[in-house]
Amino acid sequence: MIDKRHKTLGEFIIENQSSFQYTSGELSKLINALRLGAKVVSHEVNKAGLIDILGAAGETNIQGEHQQKLDVFANEKFIQTLKNREIVCGIASEEEEDFISINSNDEQHQNKYVVLIDPLDGSSNIDVNVSVGTIFSIYRRVTPIGTPVQLEDFLQPGRNQVAAGYIVYGTSTILVYTTGDGVNGFTLNPALGTFYLSHPNLEYPEDGKIYSVNEGNYVHFLQGVKDYIKYCQEEEGNRPYTSRYIGSLVSDFHRNMIKGGIYMYPKSSINENGKLRLLYECNPMAFIAEQANGVATGGRTRIMDIEPTELHQRVPFFCGSKNMVDKLKEFLVKYH
Ligand code: AHM
Ligand code: MG
């Protein structure tokens, strides 16, 4: 039975529409479209284990197409959903080399938002049944409404974001988002296809006990990061911390936000800018983190203050409970 106290995402969006700064209903429609995309992708991700079996049997889907890789599927579904609903003027995706301008007729040019999306992050985890996720970020265009979008509409610093969110396809599917007024999480009831408000006002604990980093890269890290990792492992006070690393940013982030922790993808001697993408991964996560009383930094600079120079730019990323990130920064400034 459905608990009457739990609002649906649809109800929540309508109730909160008036709190958006420049409300016209457009942003609500846009979040609704992402909600729909999330349900379609969630359904497909849950069938992922069967794809090999279906593929082996030479099965094709309803449109007569062969089974696709899930990241390609997710990319197409989100783009299609946003295009069909005619609510954005441009989309940039981690899966696409260039941005997409939605300009098939004049009316569509009237839309003022652009969406940047990582349709299926952590997709190397799919084959082994580990959680993956979608990350999205929404900006108001900076070029005039009614004209085709330009690169500068996408290359905006993260502090300009109007909304950002992620979907974790985990033991349940959870959609978490912010419009700059706190962070809320909604869990999908797959039987009904409805998201319910399950995590209102999500906030990082100020301190935590979890550190998440790919320690296989330890020898390549800068000395400040190495020292901080050693600090996490020392026996003193509430340390040693627990090490947890799934290798799916959304899942590692989601757990750390709820339990208290720090996520790190530093630069190294083999990846001079780290691995994560500023526009599709770091900025949206940073916006959510800050809205949840957490901190997100590239080391010295606040993630959301970095001026982007290219669509697929990578940056080092450190994010989590305030006290933990502050401590890490103390180690970083000693050397760099
Ligand atoms: P992807 O966009 O190619 O999926 O890569 C991003 C993922 C993140 O989800 C995850 O935190 C990170 O890559 C893991 O990288 P690594 O395997 O180097 O630790
Ligand atoms: Mg990614």
Side-chain angles (χ1 to χ4, degrees), residues 56-57 73 123 125 133 146 188 194 218 221 226 265 290 310 329:
F73 175 89
S123 49
N125 279 324
L188 179 66
T194 306
Y218 182 87
F221 292 153
K226 283 183 178 170
Y265 210 109
E290 287 195 11
E310 47 185 289
K329 282 192 208 159

Side-chain angles (χ1 to χ4, degrees), residues 116-146:
L116 291 91
I117 190 160
D118 182 352
L120 207 62
D121 184 68
S123 49
S124 61
N125 279 324
I126 295 169
D127 291 346
V128 288
N129 217 1
V130 174
S131 313
V132 287
T134 297
I135 309 171
F136 61 88
S137 176
I138 301 171
Y139 294 82
R140 208 167 295 111
R141 64 182 301 174
V142 290
T143 55
I145 292 175

Side-chain angles (χ1 to χ4, degrees), residues 43-220:
H43 180 66
E44 200 67 15
V45 166
N46 286 334
K47 293 192 309 194
L50 287 170
I51 283 179
D52 280 348
I53 298 167
L54 297 176
E59 295 232 359
T60 50
N61 66 15
I62 225 160
Q63 289 86 24
E65 296 159 340
H66 287 287
Q67 292 295 343
Q68 286 174 311
K69 285 189 68 182
L70 270 177
D71 42 6
V72 178
F73 175 89
N75 186 44
E76 282 178 7
K77 283 300 160 205
F78 277 107
I79 291 175
Q80 223 174 58
T81 311
L82 292 168
K83 273 187 175 173
N84 288 350
R85 297 210 156 187
E86 303 185 356
I87 36 165
V88 288
C89 51
I91 306 167
S93 163
E94 201 193 274
E95 293 284 328
E96 306 278 335
E97 205 171 310
D98 215 344
F99 64 83
I100 300 166
S101 175
I102 299 175
N103 54 6
S104 51
N105 65 45
D106 283 347
E107 213 178 297
Q108 282 171 322
H109 273 316
Q110 297 309 314
N111 294 320
K112 58 177 173 291
Y113 293 112
V114 294
V115 170
L116 291 91
I117 190 160
D118 182 352
L120 207 62
D121 184 68
S123 49
S124 61
N125 279 324
I126 295 169
D127 291 346
V128 288
N129 217 1
V130 174
S131 313
V132 287
T134 297
I135 309 171
F136 61 88
S137 176
I138 301 171
Y139 294 82
R140 208 167 295 111
R141 64 182 301 174
V142 290
T143 55
I145 292 175
T147 62
V149 279
Q150 305 294 330
L151 186 58
E152 62 202 275
D153 292 314
F154 300 92
L155 296 188
Q156 299 191 51
R159 60 174 182 270
N160 289 2
Q161 285 171 103
V162 174
Y166 61 80
I167 300 124
V168 194
Y169 309 103
T171 42
S172 47
T173 293
I174 297 188
L175 188 153
V176 172
Y177 80 102
T178 181
T179 53
D181 187 21
V183 179
N184 292 285
F186 302 82
T187 302
L188 179 66
N189 178 338
L192 302 177
T194 306
F195 280 102
Y196 289 95
L197 178 60
S198 51
H199 298 74
N201 301 316
L202 277 163
E203 281 190 3
Y204 273 95
E206 274 222 316
D207 231 321
K209 270 187 65 81
I210 298 172
Y211 72 103
S212 309
V213 62
N214 185 341
E215 274 182 89
N217 295 328
Y218 182 87
V219 289
H220 302 293

Side-chain angles (χ1 to χ4, degrees), residues 94 118 121-123 214 245 247-249 263 265 275-276 281:
E94 201 193 274
D118 182 352
D121 184 68
S123 49
N214 185 341
Y245 189 70
S248 256
L249 174 62
Y263 176 93
Y265 210 109
K275 176 185 183 188
L276 301 181
E281 293 163 334

Side-chain angles (χ1 to χ4, degrees), residues 1 119 137 146 152 166 246 257 265 269 287 289 291 305:
M1 210 173 97
S137 176
E152 62 202 275
Y166 61 80
I246 297 168
M257 179 165 63
Y265 210 109
S269 52
F287 188 23
Q291 283 295 317
D305 281 340

